[in-house]
Amino acid sequence: MENDSRTEPPETAGARETLTGFLDYFRATVVMRAGGLSDADGARRLVPSLATVSGLVQHLTDVERFWFQDRIDGQQGVPKRWSAEDPDGEFRVREEDSLSEIIDEYEPACRQSREVLGRYGMEERCRGGQSVRWVLVHMIEETGLHCGHLDILRELLDGSIGD
């Protein structure tokens, strides 16, 4: 597995810096835990659900776009893999999907999320009524949850233990 180059969240900072620090730490954890696997291992189903390393990263890419670009920024036509016909579409990995390309799609989505977040105050309201603060906390929860899933899948795939 790659070296751990994650930046620890700040221990003494304001609320916004603390929250974004934790989210960025979890985002880096996603990349670290997914990195270095083959495409086949990234797509390998090890549990009864659709959860795979590649599928989780695709899901998190879609979630980043949905909450920051669609809900906070109000952008139209934000790309997503799920639909009414296939509500789990973002978890589905095709044979031609490359894990490195999936990660390469996740990282710019996170950068775009940071850019969007920088334009809004924490108490501003989003499409859907939530505050920007709520979205940020939800994204920490969502990304942290899936970091745990990635830890388990990675351990099952190659025995490496996450931190």
Side-chain angles (χ1 to χ4, degrees):
M1 189 168 350
E2 297 176 18
N3 290 333
D4 187 349
S5 61
R6 297 172 295 174
T7 301
E8 292 284 336
E11 292 183 14
T12 56
R16 185 181 192 104
E17 294 80 15
T18 300
L19 293 172
T20 57
F22 270 93
L23 182 53
D24 282 339
Y25 181 81
F26 285 139
R27 287 168 170 158
T29 301
V30 168
V31 172
M32 183 181 78
R33 296 303 285 155
L37 290 173
S38 68
D39 295 343
D41 280 345
R44 183 164 289 128
R45 284 185 61 188
L46 301 166
V47 294
S49 73
L50 292 175
T52 64
V53 171
S54 293
L56 286 168
V57 179
Q58 286 183 156
H59 167 71
L60 286 168
T61 301
D62 280 9
V63 168
E64 287 278 345
R65 289 175 176 155
F66 174 78
W67 284 107
F68 289 96
Q69 294 174 35
D70 182 293
R71 290 299 185 189
I72 293 177
D73 210 32
Q75 297 176 24
Q76 300 295 315
V78 175
K80 65 181 192 265
R81 292 176 184 86
W82 75 81
S83 66
E85 299 79 34
D86 190 7
D88 294 323
E90 76 271 26
F91 289 102
R92 297 189 197 290
V93 181
R94 300 169 305 183
E95 189 173 320
E96 66 270 15
D97 289 333
S98 158
L99 178 56
S100 64
E101 289 174 2
I102 291 168
I103 294 168
D104 286 347
E105 187 179 0
Y106 175 67
E107 292 179 302
C110 294
R111 280 193 299 276
Q112 288 177 310
S113 295
R114 284 185 207 95
E115 291 170 14
V116 167
L117 185 61
R119 296 193 298 267
Y120 293 89
M122 296 288 276
E123 302 312 319
E124 288 188 61
R125 293 287 169 195
C126 308
R127 265 187 0 182
Q130 302 88 351
S131 70
V132 170
R133 178 187 309 275
W134 185 93
V135 170
L136 187 52
V137 171
H138 172 66
M139 286 302 298
I140 293 167
E141 170 204 28
E142 180 84 9
T143 308
L145 170 75
H146 293 309
C147 283
H149 296 143
L150 288 167
D151 282 345
I152 291 166
L153 293 174
R154 187 68 190 244
E155 185 174 353
L156 290 169
L157 286 165
D158 66 8
S160 66
I161 306 294
D163 175 18

